[in-house]
Structure formats: C-alpha cells, structure tokens
Amino acid sequence: MADPKESINIENVVASTGIGQELDLQSVAMDLEGADYDPEQFPGLVYRTQNPKSAALIFRSGKIVCTGAKSTAAVHESLEIVFDELRDLQIQVEEDPEIIVQNIVSSADLGRNLNLNAIAIGLGLENIEYEPEQFPGLVYRLDEPEVVALLFGSGKLVITGGKKVEDASQAVDVIVTRLEELGLLE
C-alpha cells in the first residue's frame, strides 16, 4: 500500500500581517487596479494576485489576511506583491513586515474505505464528533499536532488548523497509527 503521506496536498494557506497604520480603503480601492471594495458586503478591500494565485483582505486597521495560497512560499510572494503595490501608492510599508501563518488546510488519502461508525466508537467520544445526518465526515480533534481532521468513508482526509506544513504528515501518522491499533486499518 502506498504511504498516505505521499498523497498530502496543501489546499489553502491563510496568513496574517499588518502595515501598522490605518488606511482609507475607499481611496486605496480607487488607486489600486483590480481591487474590490464594497463595505456593504465586506468590511475589507479584496485584492487578488494571479501569480501566485491568492486573495489579500486588506482592512482599515492596516491588518492584512492572505488566503487561497497553495504554499507558505506563495503566501510570502503574494504579500510581497501587495506590499509593493501599497508602496507604489505612497503608503508607508516597512521593509519586511512579519507574516504569521494562521492555518494550513491539507488533504490526504488513506487509500481505502473507512468504517466511520467503528472509528467513532474506537477513538472515543472525547475527541470525536460524528453525526452522519448532519455531515458525512467524522471530525477528529488531535492534541499533537493540534489540528482537526475530517475523515470520510472514502478514506479521504481534510486536515485543518495546522501552523506548519509538517503538521499534516504528523497528523496522518497519528491517525494511521490509531486506526491500526484499533484494527480498523488492515
């Protein structure tokens, strides 16, 4: 059987940063080509980068959230583009603002079907939420690494809440080990 860790794919990286000053979003939206700003719908200005593909949510406070990137390197590249665009508008942005990864969402495949009812019973109710009438996946909260894994009957996993790329492979190891110990993974 193939190693499930080889199937891990980063789906989304969310990171935050800030430029340390308030912004007039109406004025920035008029000067920043391609910016979307509709305060009735969303309090931030949305600026999309194409290469790498991501969306920067820029708030009046100067805080910026980058989402949609497929790697931590892409987050840094995208935000560098945003910082340069803001500098071009004569907005003061320090040389290297701190960028903090808030969440990495990954997917993986265990390569076989799972009996979610047996897994829910085997893993115990303290770390599990499983209500198939509400949601087809089993929600498994891991302590180490501190992530949430969604397990589906198809054997597919979604791992969210990671702060480092390695969190996903650690989580897959923990899940595979626990399911093997319970005899639920042949």
Side-chain angles (χ1 to χ4, degrees):
M1 181 203 105
D3 182 351
K5 287 192 294 193
E6 290 174 15
S7 72
I8 293 173
N9 200 13
I10 295 177
E11 303 295 339
N12 185 16
V13 178
V14 179
S16 63
T17 187
I19 60 168
Q21 64 177 301
E22 288 218 349
L23 295 169
D24 175 354
L25 293 182
Q26 198 66 56
S27 149
V28 173
M30 288 177 3
D31 296 337
L32 188 59
E33 198 173 316
D36 289 325
Y37 182 53
D38 184 353
E40 301 283 315
Q41 297 296 313
F42 182 71
L45 178 151
V46 180
Y47 181 70
R48 290 176 174 76
T49 60
Q50 292 310 313
N51 194 10
K53 206 171 177 70
S54 76
L57 312 175
I58 304 171
F59 296 94
R60 191 173 52 84
S61 64
K63 296 233 181 296
I64 302 172
V65 174
C66 179
T67 184
K70 298 287 189 189
S71 70
T72 54
V75 162
H76 285 265
E77 280 179 61
S78 295
L79 285 171
E80 211 42 65
I81 292 168
V82 172
F83 297 149
D84 287 343
E85 292 285 346
L86 293 174
R87 288 182 189 112
D88 288 348
L89 300 177
Q90 308 306 309
I91 294 169
Q92 189 77 41
V93 179
E94 63 185 72
E95 195 48 53
D96 207 6
E98 183 183 17
I99 297 171
I100 300 164
V101 172
Q102 301 291 345
N103 184 15
I104 299 176
V105 180
S106 304
S107 62
D109 191 346
L110 296 179
R112 65 199 87 150
N113 290 339
L114 300 174
N115 179 339
L116 298 181
N117 288 321
I119 291 171
I121 293 164
L123 290 176
L125 298 174
E126 59 280 349
N127 298 327
I128 293 292
E129 288 173 41
Y130 183 50
E131 296 181 39
E133 314 77 45
Q134 304 293 318
F135 180 69
L138 179 146
V139 180
Y140 182 20
R141 296 180 192 289
L142 284 79
D143 294 328
E144 197 49 50
E146 196 176 327
V147 299
V148 174
L150 308 177
L151 285 70
F152 296 92
S154 64
K156 301 249 190 297
L157 308 176
V158 173
I159 299 155
T160 185
K163 303 273 194 244
K164 304 186 300 289
V165 174
E166 307 79 59
D167 288 347
S169 56
Q170 249 187 300
V172 168
D173 277 343
V174 169
I175 291 165
V176 166
T177 302
R178 290 288 291 129
L179 295 181
E180 283 174 348
E181 287 170 359
L182 294 168
L184 298 171
L185 213 54
E186 302 80 50

